[in-house]
């Protein structure tokens, strides 16, 4: 992959009658070129719902989407007020790209795409705390589960909104996480400096957000060595969190183009 200093013009957005695109991902110190992305086909529904314990024993519900018997390589974590249903369609698109994935319910959430967050429901029934930081143990337990059940292979950890921040925090020090994709991370945790805590990340990190969130996101990742940061800055309005990948989101093709380029690193 060619690397050029910021300010050099790599590529312009192209749209042909086949709806193919070429975009660029910019980092804090450099620009990295990506290739064209064909229209992403959606795989058939291969979902299996499973459960496993969190760090404190709470039962976590997750959906596993496998393709061609491949081991899980991507863990998907939802945003505030949502459930694993946030990735109902995104998971199938990732299957179509050849990736087996798992989407989990964290204890901080509610529902998405008519799919109830069973982990949060159970946590509330047991009077367990359900703040954003309380969900960290759920993500860590899911990483351990995938790692132990897939030949000890490290994974891509994907987070959305508050779980994007948690993914950066966890990915910073967890050797079972190979790469991180953070959709709309931010300083969401009272008394914690996310920017300072993640500054020493030394693995590839994909970050993106809505157009209006981009300046704050640029600041958030500004202390990370630029060679590790792949920052997609949408020209369109975009949207908060991983809903950027939903087909109903303005500019979703651009987000997918950039995300697929990162997956192909």
């Amino acid at each position: 992959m060619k690397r050029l200093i910021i300010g050099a013009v790599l590529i312009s957005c192209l749209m042909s009658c086949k709806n193919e695109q070429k975009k660029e991902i910019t980092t804090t110190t450099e620009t990295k070129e990506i290739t064209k992305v064909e229209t992403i086909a959606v795989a058939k529904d291969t979902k299996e719902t499973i459960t496993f314990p969190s760090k404190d024993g709470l039962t976590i519900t997750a959906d596993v989407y496998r393709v061609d018997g491949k081991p899980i390589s991507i863990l998907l974590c939802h945003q505030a007020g949502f459930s694993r249903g946030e990735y109902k369609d995104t998971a199938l698109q990732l299957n179509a790209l050849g990736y087996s994935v798992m989407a989990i319910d964290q204890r901080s959430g509610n529902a998405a795409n008519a799919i109830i967050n069973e982990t949060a429901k159970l946590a509330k029934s047991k009077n367990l705390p359900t703040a954003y930081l309380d969900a960290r143990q759920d993500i860590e337990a899911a990483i351990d589960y995938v790692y132990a059940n897939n030949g000890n292979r490290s994974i891509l950890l994907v987070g959305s909104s508050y779980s994007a921040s948690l993914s950066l925090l966890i990915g910073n020090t967890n050797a079972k996480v190979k790469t991180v994709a953070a959709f709309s991370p931010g300083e969401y945790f009272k008394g914690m400096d996310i920017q300072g805590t993640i500054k020493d990340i030394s693995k590839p990190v994909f970050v993106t957000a809505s157009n209006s969130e981009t300046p704050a996101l640029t600041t958030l990742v500004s202390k990370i060595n630029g060679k590790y940061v792949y920052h997609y800055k949408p020209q369109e309005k975009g949207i908060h969190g991983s809903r950027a990948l939903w087909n109903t989101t303005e500019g979703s093709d651009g987000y997918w183009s950039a995300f697929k380029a990162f997956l192909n690193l």
Side-chain angles (χ1 to χ4, degrees), residues 58-232:
L58 176 69
T59 298
I60 296 173
T61 297
D63 287 336
V64 175
Y65 300 77
R66 289 192 185 274
V67 59
D68 297 331
K70 293 181 179 179
I72 297 167
S73 58
I74 302 177
L75 176 61
L76 305 167
C77 307
H78 62 76
Q79 65 177 275
F82 276 30
S83 73
R84 66 195 190 280
E86 179 174 343
Y87 295 99
K88 183 172 69 74
D89 295 326
T90 299
L92 295 178
Q93 289 178 291
L94 288 169
N95 278 174
L97 293 173
Y99 300 96
S100 292
V101 306
M102 183 168 79
I104 65 168
D105 280 345
Q106 297 113 234
R107 70 186 65 200
S108 183
N110 188 15
N113 289 320
I115 297 175
I116 299 296
N117 186 323
E118 299 295 342
T119 307
K121 181 180 176 181
L122 183 60
K124 291 172 185 174
S125 72
K126 293 179 176 293
N127 294 316
L128 294 174
T130 57
Y132 295 161
L133 283 174
D134 296 313
R136 177 170 183 161
Q137 61 188 310
D138 302 333
I139 297 174
E140 291 174 336
I143 293 169
D144 291 343
Y145 176 86
V146 172
Y147 190 79
N149 288 277
N150 288 275
N152 295 341
R153 295 176 177 87
S154 56
I155 63 167
L156 163 62
L157 179 59
V158 178
S160 177
S161 189
Y162 88 86
S163 71
S165 294
L166 286 177
S167 294
L168 290 170
L169 291 171
I170 295 168
N172 183 28
T173 57
N174 193 319
K176 297 173 185 176
V177 176
K178 179 171 60 176
T179 51
V180 176
F183 289 81
S184 298
E187 297 284 1
Y188 302 130
F189 311 134
K190 186 177 181 180
M192 181 177 290
D193 174 21
I194 300 296
Q195 182 193 50
T197 305
I198 66 175
K199 64 183 177 63
D200 295 323
I201 286 179
S202 58
K203 61 188 65 174
V205 173
F206 174 84
V207 295
T208 192
S210 67
N211 187 284
S212 64
E213 294 170 322
T214 294
L217 177 53
T218 300
T219 299
L220 186 75
V221 300
S222 62
K223 293 184 179 181
I224 303 174
N225 188 321
K227 72 179 182 180
Y228 297 117
V229 181
Y230 297 75
H231 187 176
Y232 175 63

Side-chain angles (χ1 to χ4, degrees), residues 240-253:
H240 181 76
S242 84
R243 288 180 298 164
L245 299 175
W246 292 10
N247 291 334
T248 53
T249 297
E250 177 188 0
S252 63
D253 53 349

